Amino acid sequence: MSEIKNAIHEFGQLERLARRDQWVNHIHPLVLLGLTILYIAIVVSFGKYELFGLIGMGLYPLALFILADLKFGECLRRLRLVLPLVVFIGLFNPLLDKTPVSIGSIVLRGGWISMMTLILKGFFSVLASYILVATTPIVDLCRALRKIHVPQILVTQLLLTYRYISVLLSEVSRITQAYQLRAPGQKGVHFKLWGPLVGQLLLRSMDKAQIVYESMLLRGFNGEFREGRNAKLTLTDVLYGLFWTGAFVLLRRYVIIFLVGNLFV
């Protein structure tokens, strides 16, 4: 039960994180969304042996963690279930790719380089997505998706799924607590009761979801998203987007590690 309560707390904490009064949080959601999509696209475009060029792309998440006052340790803790999958994707590259790759005077098996490149691609993409969610409330994000003409049904599904996760977790917490009160000292739920409890969870969640949906309709929800905070693009938003767009192009074109190294050698 404590794990479920921790999950509910983490879910609410992430939403509160996106609504903080930080400078980055006031950038227009459309700019933040566009930069995230562009960043992930450029990161993925690197070749499998372009490890040193890819490392320079880490400048964006590093700068955003500082500007948005995000804690890297909390990010890793929240992504602890996703990051092992990112590592697992490239785990077998050293066995499959035996192409020799020269790094200066050192010759390495290409599989090790491609493994690190693939891991960094996944890691940077996940970090960029986390930064977007941690700096943009879900409603503003959905509003930005509609502005780039993502189908209304998909955006509404995203919003309602996000909202109903907390409802589902709350019902799981209540059912689990009620079961433990009726079966003290028992570890977990007996497998014979999994079916009935899942059925009860489904029915109770549907009832709560219907109440939430009716409340949304009473407040005028019709599938579209009204203008909220940061409704119009400002000069700051445009300059912020142009700065990072130019930075992404330079980081893709030049190997920053080598450029910085030449300054000191």
Side-chain angles (χ1 to χ4, degrees), residues 3 7 74-88 126:
E3 295 181 359
E74 290 185 359
C75 171
L76 294 180
R77 180 171 56 82
R78 291 191 174 105
L79 300 176
R80 60 186 179 276
L81 298 179
V82 179
L83 294 180
L85 298 178
V86 174
V87 175
F88 181 78
V126 171

Side-chain angles (χ1 to χ4, degrees), residues 67-199:
L67 291 176
D69 192 23
L70 299 175
K71 297 181 180 179
F72 188 70
E74 290 185 359
C75 171
L76 294 180
R77 180 171 56 82
R78 291 191 174 105
L79 300 176
R80 60 186 179 276
L81 298 179
V82 179
L83 294 180
L85 298 178
V86 174
V87 175
F88 181 78
I89 292 175
L91 199 59
F92 297 101
N93 278 38
L95 301 177
L96 301 176
D97 187 357
K98 300 181 180 180
T99 305
V101 177
S102 299
I103 303 178
S105 59
I106 303 175
V107 178
L108 297 175
R109 180 179 291 185
W112 292 103
I113 304 298
S114 62
M115 180 189 72
M116 294 301 300
T117 302
L118 192 59
I119 291 175
L120 275 183
K121 285 182 180 181
F123 184 62
F124 287 162
S125 299
V126 171
L127 283 185
S129 302
Y130 173 81
I131 291 171
L132 176 64
V133 174
T135 55
T136 311
I138 185 62
V139 176
D140 292 341
L141 182 58
C142 291
R143 188 180 296 114
L145 289 172
R146 285 296 295 144
K147 285 183 178 296
I148 60 175
H149 302 290
V150 175
Q152 175 184 330
I153 187 172
L154 296 180
V155 178
T156 304
Q157 187 67 34
L158 172 64
L159 175 64
L160 295 183
T161 301
Y162 186 88
R163 293 302 188 195
Y164 289 165
I165 288 176
S166 59
V167 176
L168 181 63
L169 290 176
S170 299
E171 291 302 324
V172 171
S173 177
R174 292 189 183 96
I175 291 176
T176 305
Q177 185 176 12
Y179 178 83
Q180 290 180 347
L181 290 175
R182 289 169 172 80
Q186 181 175 328
K187 295 183 179 180
V189 179
H190 197 276
F191 72 92
K192 292 183 179 180
L193 297 177
W194 288 358
L197 289 182
V198 170

